Amino acid sequence: MAHYRDLLAQIDALLRPTLGEGRVADYIPELAKVAPDQFGMAIATPDGEVETVGQAATPFSVQSISKLFALVLAIQTEGDDLWARVGREPSGAPFNALVQLDAEKGHPRNPFINAGALVVSDVLCSHYAVPENAVAQFLSRLDGRRLIHFDERVARSERNHCGRNAAMLHLMQSYGNIRNPVDQVLGAYCRQCAIEMTCEELARAVTFLACGGRDPRTGEQILPAAHAKRVNALMLTCGTYDAAGDFAFRIGLPVKSGVGGGIVAVMPNRCGVCVWSPALDRAGNSQAGARALELLTTHTGWTIF
Ligand code: GLN
């Protein structure tokens, strides 16, 4: 772990002068209030150790990182039937694009763009009594330390500015790909995006994906290894929207980002990683976060390639 500590300190020192470059998300007004020059990073190994640097213990809005955990729950309940309703191809379009969804008759390209995540939320609405808490409860099980909480102001802010997501849901409903009331699905989706977690917690929460789907803390098989492999593949090809090619090129790991500025990454058989810095690039991914992961894989040579 000392090796990780030195590495994280070096990355922090290199990135400090650049923090704040980019723009915080402002289409959800509450997210626009977050200071852009914050930075934290954590590496969690299967033996339970976590090495951190910077503001790794500061909670932030997980936003689309929640799509990863929602997908795992949907695979647990639906298995391969899920893929009849959502695809597995990169979209090559922004995360909230509408035109492609209509052209492809309400069948989202993948579960990590908003349309796909809304179908996943619809699946959770069909299976869970309190669907808006399903992802948070799963995360607190994975974390094993505390009750996950929501940033209620972000949840309200998003619910009041969710026109595009509502439009996608109505569109997909018109194609028969949404089974529950639009309002209920929207409520569950907005709430999962408003979950707050720290880099330390998220790094721990993704370690099962570095361990063939088995939670190294409890020994529980969260997903069969074959499904965990597929989730990692989707993270690589679709986890950062229309920048996924560039991320694979620069970083070479399965990753999932959110507009709160967080990015989780999986180093198979080694560790879970989370980095957070709120200023985003044009595709909606953390600018310093991407750079930090690039430095990490360049220095260690640990990529999947
Ligand atoms: N809650 C955000 C939305 O629906 C999530 C987007 C993101 O993190 N890319 O627009």
Side-chain angles (χ1 to χ4, degrees):
M1 286 306 275
H3 176 57
Y4 286 130
R5 196 172 315 144
D6 294 346
L7 207 55
L8 289 176
Q10 281 174 37
I11 292 172
D12 183 75
L14 280 168
L15 289 181
R16 283 275 147 205
T18 71
L19 294 184
E21 284 172 15
R23 291 190 57 188
V24 294
D26 55 8
Y27 73 103
I28 300 171
E30 208 51 44
L31 291 181
K33 299 180 183 165
V34 178
D37 55 351
Q38 305 182 78
F39 175 80
M41 191 165 182
I43 296 178
T45 53
D47 59 12
E49 296 214 37
V50 185
E51 206 54 72
T52 66
V53 75
Q55 288 152 288
T58 303
F60 62 89
S61 188
V62 305
Q63 292 296 317
S64 283
I65 296 175
S66 65
K67 291 171 178 160
L68 171 62
F69 301 100
L71 172 66
V72 171
L73 287 183
I75 294 174
Q76 281 179 346
T77 54
E78 293 278 297
D80 280 333
D81 290 349
L82 181 67
W83 307 117
R85 295 179 61 190
V86 56
R88 287 119 40 172
E89 289 294 345
S91 67
F95 61 83
N96 53 6
L98 271 156
V99 175
Q100 186 179 62
L101 186 62
D102 193 27
E104 297 182 358
K105 302 196 174 356
H107 191 268
R109 279 283 175 104
N110 67 67
F112 292 151
I113 50 173
N114 284 16
L118 289 164
V119 170
V120 167
S121 285
D122 185 51
V123 168
L124 300 187
C125 284
S126 300
H127 282 279
Y128 285 87
V130 190
E132 60 272 31
N133 289 343
V135 176
Q137 274 162 2
F138 176 46
L139 279 164
S140 68
R141 231 173 77 213
L142 279 180
D143 183 62
R145 290 186 190 211
R146 71 168 174 105
L147 268 181
I148 302 298
H149 66 261
F150 299 91
D151 183 329
E152 297 296 346
R153 283 171 314 152
V154 170
R156 265 196 308 278
S157 185
E158 178 153 6
R159 197 72 167 84
N160 293 332
H161 295 84
C162 61
R164 291 188 78 84
N165 288 332
M168 282 177 219
L169 275 167
H170 284 290
L171 191 60
M172 291 190 289
Q173 192 181 49
S174 78
Y175 285 112
N177 202 11
I178 292 295
R179 310 209 167 135
N180 295 280
V182 161
D183 242 33
Q184 188 192 4
V185 181
L186 207 48
Y189 171 81
C190 288
R191 218 166 152 67
Q192 85 180 32
C193 289
I195 288 171
E196 274 197 320
M197 286 176 79
T198 68
C199 287
E200 282 183 50
E201 291 163 346
L202 278 167
R204 271 201 303 270
V206 294
T207 46
F208 78 95
L209 288 170
C211 301
R214 187 173 164 276
D215 185 340
R217 191 178 59 83
T218 60
E220 181 186 351
Q221 195 72 39
I222 305 283
L223 280 182
H227 283 300
K229 180 196 77 179
R230 292 167 165 190
V231 170
N232 282 333
L234 283 165
M235 290 171 76
L236 179 80
T237 54
C238 313
T240 45
Y241 322 112
D242 45 341
D246 194 48
F247 266 70
F249 184 87
R250 289 167 57 197
I251 294 159
L253 290 178
V255 293
K256 181 74 204 86
S257 64
V259 290
I263 309 177
V264 291
V266 175
M267 280 193 181
N269 304 316
R270 284 190 192 274
C271 55
V273 182
C274 179
V275 59
W276 169 61
S277 191
L280 308 178
D281 63 18
R282 290 205 349 228
N285 300 307
S286 170
Q287 196 147 303
R291 188 84 187 101
L293 291 171
E294 188 177 5
L295 288 168
L296 180 68
T297 54
T298 305
H299 277 38
T300 59
W302 294 336
T303 83
I304 58 167
F305 297 110

